[in-house]
Amino acid sequence: MAFKSVIVVGATGHLGPHIISALSSNSTFSISILSRQSSPSKFGPHITVYPIDDSYSHHLLLAAFKDKDAVINLLPCYFSEDIPRIKKVADAAVEAGVKRIIPGEFGCDTQDDEVLEAIPAFESKREVIGYLREKEVEGLSWIAIVTGGFFDGVIKNNLHGFSLPARTATIYTPGGQLPISYTTLSTVGLAVASVLSHPDPARFANTYTYVHSVRVSQLQILSALEKATGEKWERKEADAREVRANGLERVKKGDWAGLAEVVVGGLYSGVEGMDFARRRGGVVNRELGLVEEEDLELVVKRLVKG
């Protein structure tokens, strides 16, 4: 395996623990974490922790990345001010001789122009990939793992129109009746571990790589939620384009809470690129040893139970 020594940057968010768990299940990985000095987080005895200051000083990054094969960068990338820190990580990785970086691309397909037009907040992610492309000539390779939305959050965090406590669902038109791709956090973790342990190190180098757990519409999610809870949910409707437009106006006025409206409005606007099965080549679940598509009702039932 070409990528044995792996360091995770930003491991304490929603996704980080699932990636650490998947890496830990493969004994051939040597796992390290870059953790802010101010963080109270604790990790297992098999994990080496490198402290970093809040400014992500270059010399500390170099020390942490020395002799590492791969960097998984989970730092948030939603605003323009996030980009310089992410570029600092890439620069240090190149200088330290890291072979591969997996950026925080997880989510919608940012190489699709229609997707970015629908959700312009993800433009910063495309800029990061552009920067990594420039680093290819310096020996760094990258993989952008495209997962769609994290399905756990839809159910547990009452996102994308669904409210588990209130038993309500807002169905967005025109896209709410169309299937789109979602991935559970645990499957994202498995996908990361699988691309790094693939027998051909060049297989996914410098590409967008697509996986999903389920390919479902809002109506299918609602049906599964009603079955899991044993209750009939209140159903509302909203125009995704109006929701998106309202969110954009709020963001322009400095109200960043409108970003959630931009995302959900764009997601259910009917853009074809939200459904990875319709892409040329589709998803690579089978090649990565992942279930091709999980049982929606079982996944929802598990998430509802907590």
Side-chain angles (χ1 to χ4, degrees):
M1 185 170 65
F3 308 105
K4 293 183 178 180
S5 183
V6 180
I7 185 166
V8 182
V9 181
T12 58
H14 294 299
L15 180 56
H18 296 273
I19 290 179
I20 296 299
S21 175
L23 293 173
S24 299
S25 66
N26 186 333
S27 61
T28 58
F29 283 120
S30 172
I31 308 167
S32 303
I33 287 176
L34 189 73
S35 180
R36 286 183 297 112
Q37 294 166 344
S38 57
S39 173
S41 299
K42 303 295 182 181
F43 304 95
H46 66 294
I47 295 174
T48 302
V49 178
Y50 292 89
I52 188 73
D53 54 16
D54 289 344
S55 63
Y56 282 71
S57 296
H58 185 69
H59 72 282
L60 293 176
L61 289 171
L62 280 180
F65 293 166
K66 182 182 179 182
D67 299 324
K68 302 301 184 295
D69 299 317
V71 171
I72 302 169
N73 190 357
L74 303 180
L75 293 176
C77 183
Y78 296 107
F79 306 104
S80 58
E81 53 264 34
D82 294 330
I83 295 176
R85 183 173 58 175
I86 292 172
K87 288 183 176 180
K88 287 180 73 172
V89 170
D91 292 341
V94 170
E95 188 173 338
V98 171
K99 302 172 186 176
R100 174 154 298 167
I101 191 165
I102 297 180
E105 179 67 20
F106 314 101
C108 293
D109 183 7
T110 64
Q111 74 167 337
D112 188 311
D113 291 337
E114 288 188 354
V115 170
L116 271 192
E117 183 179 354
I119 312 178
F122 295 148
E123 179 65 45
S124 55
K125 291 191 175 186
R126 179 184 278 190
E127 182 175 340
V128 168
I129 297 299
Y131 192 72
L132 295 179
R133 289 186 191 276
E134 296 174 6
K135 299 298 178 181
E136 291 174 23
V137 297
E138 300 179 58
L140 182 70
S141 65
W142 54 272
I143 301 176
I145 302 178
V146 187
T147 62
F150 297 152
F151 195 65
D152 309 54
V154 175
I155 308 302
K156 290 185 174 182
N157 301 331
N158 308 308
L159 302 177
H160 299 184
F162 299 99
S163 174
L164 185 59
R167 302 296 199 258
T168 61
T170 300
I171 305 300
Y172 296 96
T173 57
Q177 299 183 20
L178 303 174
I180 64 174
S181 295
Y182 284 103
T183 307
T184 60
L185 291 169
S186 59
T187 298
V188 177
L190 292 172
V192 171
S194 293
V195 297
L196 289 175
S197 59
H198 195 280
D200 179 5
R203 170 64 182 91
F204 300 107
N206 307 325
T207 66
Y208 285 78
T209 301
Y210 299 83
V211 298
H212 64 203
S213 295
V214 291
R215 173 181 174 262
V216 293
S217 68
Q218 277 194 293
L219 295 179
Q220 289 174 295
I221 296 172
L222 174 57
S223 176
L225 282 167
E226 289 181 334
K227 186 170 184 178
T229 59
E231 299 177 43
K232 189 70 175 178
W233 284 36
E234 179 185 355
R235 175 174 163 176
K236 307 175 184 179
E237 290 191 359
D239 188 311
R241 292 159 295 195
E242 291 180 1
V243 171
R244 175 183 174 278
N246 183 66
L248 286 172
E249 282 300 314
R250 292 176 65 185
V251 170
K252 287 178 182 178
K253 295 176 182 177
D255 180 5
W256 292 106
L259 188 60
E261 291 182 310
V262 175
V263 172
V264 74
L267 194 66
Y268 292 119
S269 60
V271 174
E272 184 175 307
M274 304 298 182
D275 177 6
F276 302 159
R278 300 178 69 176
R279 289 194 55 81
R280 180 182 299 176
V283 295
V284 295
N285 288 43
R286 178 182 293 182
E287 185 175 353
L288 293 180
L290 306 175
V291 176
E292 289 194 53
E293 193 160 323
E294 298 180 50
D295 185 296
L296 175 63
E297 291 186 356
L298 290 179
V299 172
V300 169
K301 184 178 180 180
R302 181 177 73 243
L303 294 173
V304 165
K305 286 186 175 180

